[in-house]
């Protein structure tokens, strides 16, 4: 089916789509309701689990929640450009991106953009073409594995989370940095756990607050206090941090540091 550009579906920001027990999760980000629904149905017919949104901002949140294996990104979104959303997504995921619905890629403004995506489909397009390219990307480049050090769960019960020279006991919140023991509050330990689990990706302040204070009684000022405390505890020079890095406009990430101080 050849699909047109159509109306924008209102988005309920309080709803979170459920994901079924399928082989991989695909995020579809597309303003046009008809296109979005047809893409979702076609991908699900291939045995994939699909979450969908018309919003670039919502796409960032869903990417953090579901860690999709592939992102199908429309050129026009409810709240801006899919091209801009692709740029933001590269900070929080290494999943391949299929950009859908652009004009001719020879246009000057698209030359640089195509460096941030793995494939593209110009308009007008057919759903079958998008699905075929999506399946090819999944076969050729499954969700990318980070080449740098990644967090590891140790001990028989899997309760010791390690990254570089950091070891966080998930039961007691005790933290060891090399041979040094560090006392953390429960909220500080929760923030650190989320950062380690996502390393080296950037984590949004919203997700950090939601995970560290699930009762919803804290705001981002509490997160700022927790970050200062963690930097005081972990950094040799908290003013010039080497571990917990703030990425302006996106959030925070933690980088592994070995015993000799190298990342």
């Amino acid at each position: 089916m050849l699909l047109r550009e159509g109306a924008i579906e209102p988005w309920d920001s309080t709803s979170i789509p459920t994901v079924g027990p399928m082989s991989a999760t695909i995020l579809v980000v597309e303003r046009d309701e008809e296109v979005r629904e047809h893409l979702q149905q076609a991908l699900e017919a291939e045995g994939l689990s699909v979450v969908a949104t018309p919003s670039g901002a919502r796409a960032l949140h869903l990417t953090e929640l579901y860690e999709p294996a592939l992102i199908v990104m429309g050129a026009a979104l409810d709240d801006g450009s899919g091209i801009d959303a692709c740029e933001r997504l590269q900070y929080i995921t290494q999943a391949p991106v299929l950009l859908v619905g652009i004009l001719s890629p020879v246009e000057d403004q698209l030359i640089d953009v195509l460096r941030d995506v793995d494939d593209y489909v110009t308009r007008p397009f057919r759903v079958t073409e998008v699905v075929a390219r999506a399946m090819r990307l999944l076969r050729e480049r499954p969700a990318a594995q980070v080449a740098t050090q990644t967090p590891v769960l140790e001990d028989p019960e899997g309760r010791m989370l390690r990254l570089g020279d950091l070891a966080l006991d998930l039961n007691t919140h005790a933290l060891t940095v090399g041979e040094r023991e560090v006392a953390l509050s429960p909220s500080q330990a929760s923030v650190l756990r989320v950062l380690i689990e996502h390393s080296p990706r950037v984590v949004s302040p919203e997700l950090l607050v939601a995970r560290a204070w699930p009762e919803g009684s804290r705001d981002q000022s509490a997160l700022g206090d927790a970050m200062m405390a963690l930097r005081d505890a972990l950094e040799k020079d908290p003013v010039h941090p080497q571990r917990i890095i703030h990425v302006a406009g996106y959030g925070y990430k933690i980088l592994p540091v070995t015993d000799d101080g190298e990342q």
Side-chain angles (χ1 to χ4, degrees), residues 14-210:
T14 63
S15 65
I16 296 178
T18 58
V19 176
M22 300 185 185
S23 58
T25 298
I26 309 300
L27 174 60
V28 174
V29 192
E30 168 58 49
R31 178 182 68 182
D32 187 288
E33 179 181 6
E34 182 185 10
V35 174
R36 192 169 65 249
E37 290 181 352
H38 280 288
L39 286 173
Q40 180 166 356
Q41 292 169 4
L43 290 166
E44 288 176 345
E46 297 292 335
L48 301 167
S49 183
V50 180
V51 290
T53 177
S55 162
R58 183 69 171 170
L60 294 173
H61 182 54
L62 293 176
T63 297
E64 289 185 317
L65 284 176
Y66 296 114
E67 300 184 357
L70 172 70
I71 299 170
V72 179
M73 176 68 67
L77 305 179
D78 221 6
D79 53 356
S81 165
I83 293 171
D84 292 338
C86 286
E87 182 179 358
R88 296 195 300 271
L89 281 166
Q90 69 178 330
Y91 286 93
I92 65 172
T93 183
Q94 290 189 323
V97 175
L98 173 58
L99 184 61
V100 174
I102 63 172
L103 298 174
S104 172
V106 300
E107 294 183 33
D108 291 341
Q109 68 267 28
L110 293 178
I111 298 300
D112 291 336
V113 170
L114 296 182
R115 295 183 304 182
D116 296 329
V117 303
D118 297 85
D119 199 1
Y120 63 88
V121 178
T122 58
R123 65 185 187 196
F125 61 86
R126 296 183 182 275
V127 167
T128 51
E129 179 184 5
V130 175
V131 172
R133 289 174 181 260
M135 299 304 292
R136 180 183 63 80
L137 283 175
L138 287 173
R139 288 192 301 270
E140 294 180 357
R141 186 189 164 192
Q145 299 297 316
V146 178
T148 56
Q149 296 185 55
T150 54
V152 176
L153 274 173
E154 294 184 352
D155 80 34
E157 296 183 356
R159 303 304 296 174
M160 185 66 71
L161 188 61
R162 294 185 180 273
L163 180 70
D165 64 346
L166 301 180
L168 178 64
D169 189 311
L170 302 182
N171 283 326
T172 66
H173 300 153
L175 173 66
T176 302
V177 184
E179 298 182 354
R180 177 170 57 94
E181 293 185 358
V182 176
L184 297 179
S185 70
S187 60
Q188 292 164 9
S190 295
V191 170
L192 182 60
R193 174 178 180 173
V194 178
L195 289 172
I196 292 176
E197 288 175 340
H198 287 77
S199 178
R201 291 171 294 160
V202 178
V203 186
S204 70
E206 292 80 9
L207 182 62
L208 287 167
V209 170

Side-chain angles (χ1 to χ4, degrees), residues 227-246:
M227 285 298 180
M228 290 179 61
L230 286 173
R231 281 176 168 166
D232 286 341
L234 301 181
E235 304 282 1
K236 292 182 178 179
D237 182 1
V239 178
H240 302 93
Q242 298 297 311
R243 296 178 186 267
I244 299 177
I245 308 300
H246 179 235

